[in-house]
Each structure stands twice: as structure tokens, then as C-alpha cells.
Amino acid sequence: MARLHLFDLDGTLLHGSSAPVQISRQLGLEAETVALDQAIGAGLIDPSEYAQQVYALWASLTEAHVVAAFEDAPWLARIREVWAEIREQGDYCAVVSLSPSFFVERLTSWGAHATYGSRFPAVPFTEPVDPAGALNAAAKVLIADRLCEQFGVTRADCVAYGDSASDKDLFSVVPLSVAVNADHHLSDVSTHSYTGMDLWDAYELVRQAR
């Protein structure tokens, strides 16, 4: 039976940062977005409020900014190698993130079979953001189920990789999980834990498990 590997983005594939912070850095608005990340992490705002506030910050955002943010981001090493190995094994890999879809979707070029992010209009913005399109922790489980149906697998065939409270719901419904540079929210629900800068080493923890 094939397996489905489900990867979080912020704090997981991106070390110590988030896609919105990397995007805002290109506009000189990093501090403002770090504050928003802290607010959503503390539960002071919800994902829809977060989406509206970063959308307002990004009024002058261009495609060039997004490209630079993606290329300059602090990615873990060997992401593409891990996804190539997953494909060679006949398995599937997907990224499910609360970050903007226009950033997350770029990871299909690295080998992800599917990517899901909070729905944002195309850059540069000519339409408002729809707060209802912002993903939350519960949405990750719903998307995982949708992907299971798409790829012909079940939750029992899934492996999840994440770092924080937004991954806890997903970790709770799959049999294998890897907490990657994670905070305390995942300590009691993860199968494995990895600290470091190389995704291959995190993948090795579940590579042989079938």
C-alpha cells in the first residue's frame, strides 16, 4: 500500500520562520508580521483575522517580491531529495499549510504531488482576500482526508510532519508523525521527534516503517 506524507510549511520545511515573515521581509515589514505570527500562535487572533491583516500589509506586493522571498527563505536541506525518494517508492507527498496559497503552490516544482494553503488572490492584488479561505488546524485534517481519497490511501497510510499547535489535530489522526524542530504542543502526540536542519534525517525516522 502506498503512503501519503503530509508536510507542514512554517517552522517545519522553513526553519524558524514562516512564509508570511519571508514575504514581509521583502517589503521591510518583517517585524509587523513576526508580531502577527506571535499573536496567532498565542490564540489572540484567528486565521481569518491573520489573513486580513497580512493582506493589508502586502498592498504593494509584486510577483518579484514573492520569488525573492521563496528563494531566500531558510529551507531545510534535502527537501527535493526526500520528495524524489518518496516518488520513487510509489508514495505521495503533499504540503498543507496555513500560509498563502500563492507561496505554498511553488513547492510543486520541488516535487510535491499536491499543495494546499490559505486562499489568497493572485499577486499583485486586485481583489480582496476572502477570510473564509484561511485554513486552520481542523482544515488540515479535512484536506488530508481529501488527499487520501485522491491518492487511494487511508489515514492509516499517512505520515505527518509538523512543528506546532496547528499540526496537533492532524498528528492525532495518523499513525506516524514526526515533530520537526517542534514546540511543546506536539510532545505528547508525535511518534518521533527531530531537531536539526536536514529533512532527510527527519524522513529517515519513518522511512522504513510500513
Side-chain angles (χ1 to χ4, degrees), residues 20-64:
V21 167
Q22 295 303 309
I23 293 165
S24 293
R25 178 174 293 168
Q26 301 299 320
L27 300 170
L29 298 168
E30 180 180 358
E32 290 84 344
T33 308
V34 168
L36 288 176
D37 278 3
Q38 293 170 342
I40 194 170
L44 301 177
I45 59 175
D46 64 23
S48 62
E49 293 171 306
Y50 182 96
Q52 289 174 294
Q53 292 194 44
V54 293
Y55 173 83
L57 286 177
W58 295 341
S60 61
L61 189 65
T62 67
E63 181 68 10

Side-chain angles (χ1 to χ4, degrees), residues 158-183:
C158 290
V159 185
Y161 305 75
D163 76 303
S164 64
S166 69
D167 304 298
K168 190 169 184 177
D169 288 5
L170 183 58
F171 273 41
S172 297
V173 300
V174 301
L176 279 175
S177 56
V178 184
V180 179
N181 297 315
D183 62 26

Side-chain angles (χ1 to χ4, degrees), residues 130-144:
D130 179 3
L135 301 186
N136 56 25
K140 287 193 171 187
V141 177
L142 297 176
I143 290 168

Side-chain angles (χ1 to χ4, degrees), residues 143-165:
I143 290 168
D145 287 340
R146 193 180 308 160
L147 288 168
C148 283
E149 184 176 355
Q150 177 181 341
F151 296 127
V153 299
T154 70
R155 287 183 181 180
D157 307 308
C158 290
V159 185
Y161 305 75
D163 76 303
S164 64

Side-chain angles (χ1 to χ4, degrees), residues 1 13-14 63 68 92 166:
M1 175 64 73
L13 299 177
L14 284 177
E63 181 68 10
Y92 303 97
S166 69

Side-chain angles (χ1 to χ4, degrees), residues 8 38 43 53 61 67 74 76 84 86 100 110 117 135 137 175 182 184 192 194 196-197:
D8 172 54
Q38 293 170 342
Q53 292 194 44
L61 189 65
V67 170
L76 292 192
I86 288 171
W110 284 15
L135 301 186
H184 67 281
H192 302 280
Y194 169 74
M197 292 292 294

